[in-house]
Amino acid sequence: MTHIITENCIKCKYTDCVSVCPVDCFNEGDNFLVINENLCIDCAICIPECPVKAIYSDLDLDEDQKIFLKINSELSKIWPNIKKLKINKNIKKWINIKNKLHLLKF
């Protein structure tokens, strides 16, 4: 089992989750974070840290978010690891926007 970052993270990209991860399993793209399933130890510490509720257990994903299993798996292989908190100045603009998958930058 692993944790997955879902659509709510697109364009928000809070990194509060990154700062609490004991195994540094997060990777960063231009406007999204992913979790490396091979590094995640299923500790769930990151879940309450995400203010936009973008992180879920892979077993708890809604059907429309299951595409993010593949997205996290594939992008964690090519995106660089992130270990520290970063500030995104455009966060508030994107918090309540739904259906953002088309905005994901690969």
Side-chain angles (χ1 to χ4, degrees):
M1 184 165 46
T2 187
H3 286 83
I4 301 296
I5 299 182
T6 60
E7 189 169 30
N8 285 351
C9 183
I10 298 171
K11 291 272 194 179
C12 287
K13 200 172 91 170
Y14 278 92
T15 57
D16 302 48
C17 52
V18 171
S19 66
V20 298
C21 182
V23 294
D24 299 328
C25 69
F26 288 86
N27 295 73
E28 177 184 31
D30 285 343
N31 67 356
F32 188 61
L33 299 173
V34 293
I35 293 176
N36 182 322
E37 63 192 337
N38 295 317
L39 297 177
C40 179
I41 59 171
D42 193 31
C43 68
I45 294 171
C46 56
I47 293 174
E49 294 301 315
C50 180
V52 295
K53 300 188 183 333
I55 305 173
Y56 292 87
S57 162
D58 60 350
L59 302 175
D60 295 332
L61 288 172
D62 289 339
E63 197 61 41
D64 66 333
Q65 297 297 299
K66 288 189 177 180
I67 190 170
F68 286 94
L69 288 163
K70 183 176 181 180
I71 290 171
N72 276 249
S73 180
E74 295 298 318
L75 296 179
S76 67
K77 294 173 187 168
I78 58 174
W79 283 355
N81 186 259
I82 179 175
K83 297 178 182 182
K84 295 183 180 177
L85 182 74
K86 292 184 178 180
I87 304 301
N88 177 352
K89 296 177 183 170
N90 295 319
I91 289 172
K92 294 194 189 290
K93 175 181 176 183
W94 294 99
I95 287 177
N96 295 314
I97 305 295
K98 302 291 181 202
N99 302 313
K100 300 186 282 186
L101 182 56
H102 68 285
L103 299 172
L104 178 58
K105 292 183 180 179
F106 294 93

